[in-house]
Amino acid sequence: AFDGESNANAKYLAFAKKADEEGYQKVASLFRAAARSEEIHKNNHAAVITKMGSVPTADIKVVETKSTAENLKGAIEGETYERDKMYPEFLAEARSSGNKEALRTFNFAKIAEGEHAKLYAEALANLEAWKGDKTTFYVCSTCGFTTTNAGLAKCPVDFTPKEDFEAIS
């Protein structure tokens, strides 16, 4: 999980740069917000790994960027895999071993990945409308939940107050 989130962070930052180059500033904002969310997941996973007595390590892969549309398709596939396959398996292992801290951080990540998949699908379906000015996304500093809704009073996942969300453009 730590390795995957570390790589997702690097990948989404590269995808944001490509989206900016192609004039898709709103998509770039989304990729930057998702990159921050993945960083939060990475840090949460690292804390659990450290508490278990190990050192978190990641093998960061070279990022291959394509067009923004292709990058969105790849991001949807990655987030869907994490939501539907990877994190459910990790959650089952955490449950069977009784690791409540891992269960918590895996659940946070799984929910956020599902939201990222929805946002990426929306961007891909309306790609031309996502050109132009940047938009602001709000990222929960505790779990990485990502939204455009500035009116939330608290995170719907972990109840972090909106004052602790990070605004990413």
Side-chain angles (χ1 to χ4, degrees), residues 92-113:
E93 176 64 29
R95 270 188 214 93
S96 71
S97 67
N99 189 327
K100 291 180 182 176
E101 291 88 2
L103 195 60
R104 180 177 184 262
T105 188
F106 291 159
N107 192 52
F108 285 169
K110 179 182 179 287
I111 293 168
E113 307 310 7

Side-chain angles (χ1 to χ4, degrees), residues 6-73:
S6 298
N7 276 284
N9 172 265
K11 178 171 58 175
Y12 293 155
L13 290 174
F15 287 1
K17 183 177 177 185
K18 182 66 172 180
D20 272 330
E21 290 170 3
E22 292 182 346
Y24 296 104
Q25 281 74 30
K26 291 180 181 180
V27 177
S29 296
L30 172 56
F31 277 131
R32 279 189 286 277
R36 177 62 184 126
S37 176
E38 306 300 358
E39 183 179 21
I40 290 166
H41 300 158
K42 174 188 80 151
N43 293 341
N44 287 345
H45 297 339
V48 174
I49 292 167
T50 302
K51 187 173 181 180
M52 293 172 65
S54 289
V55 176
T57 59
D59 177 21
I60 306 297
K61 310 278 189 284
V62 174
V63 177
E64 179 186 349
T65 58
K66 298 178 181 177
S67 71
T68 296
E70 291 171 299
N71 290 340
L72 282 166
K73 287 176 190 172

Side-chain angles (χ1 to χ4, degrees), residues 1 9 32-33 46 53 80 84-86 99-101 126 132 153 159:
N9 172 265
R32 279 189 286 277
T80 301
D84 296 345
K85 178 110 173 96
M86 186 181 91
N99 189 327
K100 291 180 182 176
E101 291 88 2
N126 303 292
F159 310 114

Side-chain angles (χ1 to χ4, degrees), residues 138-139 149-155 159-166:
Y138 302 92
V139 180
N149 185 352
L152 287 178
K154 59 188 173 187
C155 178
F159 310 114
T160 295
K162 74 176 180 180
E163 294 79 23
D164 292 339
F165 274 54
E166 297 176 39

Side-chain angles (χ1 to χ4, degrees), residues 73-95:
K73 287 176 190 172
I76 292 166
E77 289 172 12
E79 298 294 315
T80 301
Y81 166 77
E82 288 182 350
R83 179 196 65 208
D84 296 345
K85 178 110 173 96
M86 186 181 91
Y87 277 114
E89 290 175 3
F90 289 168
L91 284 160
E93 176 64 29
R95 270 188 214 93

